Amino acid sequence: MFNRLKVAGILVAAAGFMAAPAWVDAASDLKAVVDQSTKAMGVENLRTLVISGEGADGCVGQPYNPNSDWWRRFSDKNYVRSIDFEARGWRLERVQGEGENPGRGGCGAGPITDRTQNQVTMADSGSPWNNQLEYILLPEGFLRVALERNATVKTTTVKGKKYTVVSFMGENKATVNGYIDETGYVDRVETTIDNNVLGDIVWDAVYTDWKDFGGVKFPTHILQHQGTPKYFELTVSDVKANTPVDLTPPDRGGRGGGPRGRGRGAEEPISEDLGGGFWLVTGGYGSLVTDFKDYIVVIEGPQNDMRAEQIIAEAKRLVPNKPIKYVINTHSHFDHAGGLRAFVAEGASIITQTINKPYYEKIFKDPHTLAPDRLSQMNPQPKVKIESMTEKKILTDGEHTIELYHVQGSTHNVGMIMAYLPKQKILVEADEFNVGPANASTPTNINPYHPNLLANIERLHLEVDRIIPIHLPADNRKVALAELKTAAGKN
Ligand SMILES: [Zn+2]
């Protein structure tokens, strides 16, 4: 193919045609493809680009409902991304606010008020690959990196539209593909990344509604997905080329692109005996190990494989020679579900709210080839066993009892469940009450999560002596119900 086209090119030249070969005929020549696309987009001499607009961004793994078409959605107002293509970095300024009314979902435990962000991110080689991808997913960034990485070129037709597809291998061993349309615009860039819950997921950026901004052609609509849900959307109002861009990091905010959330790295687990065959495992997100007559029940399989393996090892140390039969999952947010796959590998059944059952059954079958975990490496694959509950479920062997309740009215997650230990008078909850410092007084602005949790406790007539938040208090104190009452403005 390559040789034939080359020969054809020479013949055309020899015949005296002034025009370059037709767009698709140049498909075998990476440089010609990149040059033609660069010219079509008017970015031959591009050094910087300042993109302004309004849109939304998503917090992956934190939606209110696992079936949403967006990740936990925030609005982005006064969005300005100032990119320096030589330095391979950018400044992102925006006002991030609630993306739904009322705000729902995780990424924090409560509704947010508008927050001004100003972050500088570097995406030069040596930066985390996902940072580099934020650059590569840009039409102009893609073309530059495609040249450096000796991309391959082919043509294809998608839904009747002809594309030149430029592809190269990413540092995570996944292919990056850019689709260049017949005009020469980079219509779409896509690749695959690892997500520890979902496995191999597509991260794509789709560029539509192109417009001429003083000679530079740029899309006025950008849409990104990570996996199935939307991750980022921008309606572009203005684009400026080659204006100075300052990449001095702001005093606050630091470099962007980092993960949101807490407690990624697990410490050594330490167990607190809660009495009657129940233990709290600390040293990361909290989990409970319970010694039922013939088996172990664990409350929460959080974070990741590493944390789950620690909890599993601690459960086996505390309760030798019994299988882990159940792992109770408070909700489907990835920081609370990230260890479930390790429990499935261990042979445990997941107990979760009914909305999560089809979701987990689907996603736990998806491949994890980029970063294989314990479950994905098992052959044959164990069956994913899920027991769902709607409003209430009681686990008991006569001596040990765990009551599970759906948290009604949660705006954090639609399928939130909490666990109540009637003998210990302990309530285990996730994200509905993430405690701050001890001896806090009633806040001026009441977080609506707190009166809602209190209303659930009262509705169910639960006698609570102690609350164990899965996000354990920093000082490891015992949290009394009075703390929730204070936070809820009811003391
Ligand atoms: Zn959550």
Side-chain angles (χ1 to χ4, degrees), residues 55-73:
D57 71 290
C59 186
V60 175
Q62 302 286 328
Y64 170 70
N65 185 319
N67 304 315
S68 306
D69 66 347
W70 261 94
W71 293 115
R72 193 277 197 249
R73 183 182 153 113

Side-chain angles (χ1 to χ4, degrees), residues 4 125 246 248 250 253 264 308:
R4 206 170 62 83
S125 56
D246 176 13
T248 313
R264 291 184 72 80

Side-chain angles (χ1 to χ4, degrees), residues 198-216:
L198 301 173
D200 304 347
I201 56 168
V202 169
W203 185 4
D204 68 1
V206 180
Y207 300 102
T208 50
D209 305 318
W210 290 69
K211 209 180 126 184
D212 190 319
F213 293 94
V216 169

Side-chain angles (χ1 to χ4, degrees), residues 1-2 17 26 28 61 101 113 125 159 164 183 186 198 213-214 230 254 296 334-335 351 401 430 465 476 486:
M1 191 68 173
F2 180 83
F17 288 102
S28 55
N101 188 11
T113 48
S125 56
K159 291 177 187 165
T164 302
T183 317
V186 180
L198 301 173
F213 293 94
K230 293 174 190 171
I296 300 168
F334 289 2
D335 55 331
I351 297 177
T401 303
D465 281 351
N476 278 324
T486 302

